[in-house]
């Protein structure tokens, strides 16, 4: 399956993406994680993206698209992947369509986790004290949320129009959210999801 998970910062998509890729046996690709690794390792890409990450801005499309294109060309994701954090605007969405179509493929499903704003702010501020992520300060969090609704919500709307968006409530215990995701997938793709839920 070629799938992605999206949702506002703090919705828990990173955690759920990891669990999903384990359960479904497909490799995950998290653009945020790849960027953070590059920053940590002081690579040329890391040097280029650090300021964008710290300010809570999107990394420019050309850098992001190139990184995803290279990653999706690797053997371990040729037959399926779970993208986390991409596409984040409609121009990246168009780029992903082109990448996949070049191989005769298309996205099968877009999962969306929904969480209300007050809960998101609470979670992100808590995360800031735990992980020390440099983009988890109050001001930057507000900015990232604003960007999400302006840039990324239209991506969800586009997938919804295509009929491939599965929207799942992201509040409540982590295990509950995971069960909801599996149930939603199972309802849409009974054949691809053998084994017990
Ligand atoms: P969150 O969703 O909690 O903000 P991510 O790990 O998905 O966390 O992303 C962290 C940061 O990485 C973003 O704020 C942005 O700077 C950068 N980033 C990740 N994915 C993309 C993308 N597709 N396009 C541009 N920038 C991205």
């Amino acid at each position: 399956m070629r799938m992605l998970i999206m949702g506002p910062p703090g919705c828990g998509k990173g955690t759920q993406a990891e669990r999903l890729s384990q359960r479904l046996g497909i490799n995950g690709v998290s653009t945020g994680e790849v960027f953070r690794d590059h920053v940590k390792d002081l690579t040329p890409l890391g040097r280029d993206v650090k300021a964008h990450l710290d300010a809570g801005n999107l990394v420019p499309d050309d850098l992001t698209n190139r990184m995803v294109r290279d990653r999706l060309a690797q053997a371990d994701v040729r037959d399926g992947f779970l993208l986390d954090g991409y596409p984040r605007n409609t121009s990246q969405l168009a780029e992903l369509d082109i990448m996949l179509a070049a191989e005769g493929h298309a996205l099968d499903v877009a999962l969306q986790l929904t969480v209300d704003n007050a809960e998101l702010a609470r979670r992100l501020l808590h995360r800031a004290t735990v992980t020390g992520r440099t983009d988890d300060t109050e001001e930057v969090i507000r900015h990232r949320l604003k960007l999400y609704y302006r840039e990324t919500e239209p991506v969800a709307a586009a997938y919804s129009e295509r009929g491939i968006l599965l929207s799942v409530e992201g509040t409540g215990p982590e295990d509950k959210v995971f069960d909801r995701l599996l149930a939603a997938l199972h309802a849409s793709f009974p054949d691809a999801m053998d084994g017990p839920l």
Side-chain angles (χ1 to χ4, degrees):
M1 285 231 273
R2 293 179 178 81
M3 52 197 281
L4 62 81
I5 185 161
M6 59 189 302
C11 71
K13 68 186 160 57
T15 309
Q16 298 294 341
E18 237 166 72
R19 294 183 64 166
L20 275 175
S21 48
Q22 259 195 350
R23 171 65 71 98
L24 303 176
I26 52 181
N27 283 323
V29 175
S30 159
T31 47
E33 213 169 278
V34 173
F35 285 141
R36 281 190 293 278
D37 285 346
H38 276 276
V39 170
K40 200 172 65 202
D41 298 342
L42 302 172
T43 69
L45 177 62
R47 275 191 286 274
D48 287 343
V49 304
K50 181 172 175 13
H52 302 292
L53 253 66
D54 287 349
N57 282 321
L58 295 189
V59 171
D61 286 344
D62 55 338
L63 289 180
T64 305
N65 290 334
R66 200 173 338 131
M67 188 273 277
V68 172
R69 182 183 291 277
D70 289 349
R71 181 65 188 90
L72 291 187
Q74 288 166 18
D76 66 313
V77 286
R78 204 161 290 154
D79 296 326
F81 55 75
L82 172 57
L83 270 175
D84 162 6
Y86 183 92
R88 245 183 171 82
N89 58 30
T90 51
S91 124
Q92 294 182 6
L93 179 152
E95 197 61 31
L96 178 62
D97 281 342
I98 293 169
M99 287 178 216
L100 295 178
E103 304 292 324
H105 298 144
L107 194 70
D108 295 306
V109 60
L111 294 166
Q112 182 187 37
L113 279 180
T114 59
V115 174
D116 73 62
N117 267 342
E119 168 73 8
L120 290 174
R122 200 185 58 73
R123 288 188 190 179
L124 286 164
L125 288 171
H126 173 71
R127 188 169 82 186
T129 65
V130 179
T131 66
R133 251 176 69 166
T134 49
D135 58 350
D136 276 347
T137 64
E138 199 166 346
E139 194 192 336
V140 175
I141 287 168
R142 240 195 311 275
H143 182 60
R144 280 159 58 212
L145 280 170
K146 201 174 73 194
L147 269 189
Y148 179 81
Y149 290 110
R150 194 178 77 204
E151 302 286 327
T152 313
E153 270 291 323
V155 174
Y159 288 139
S160 171
E161 243 166 66
R162 278 187 208 179
I164 61 166
L165 187 76
L166 292 181
S167 219
V168 168
E169 172 66 49
T171 38
E174 198 181 301
D175 286 347
K176 268 266 156 42
V177 176
F178 187 56
D179 289 344
R180 281 183 213 137
L181 285 166
L182 289 180
L185 281 170
H186 196 269
S188 295
F189 302 92
D191 297 340
M193 305 269 307
D194 3 293
L197 279 186

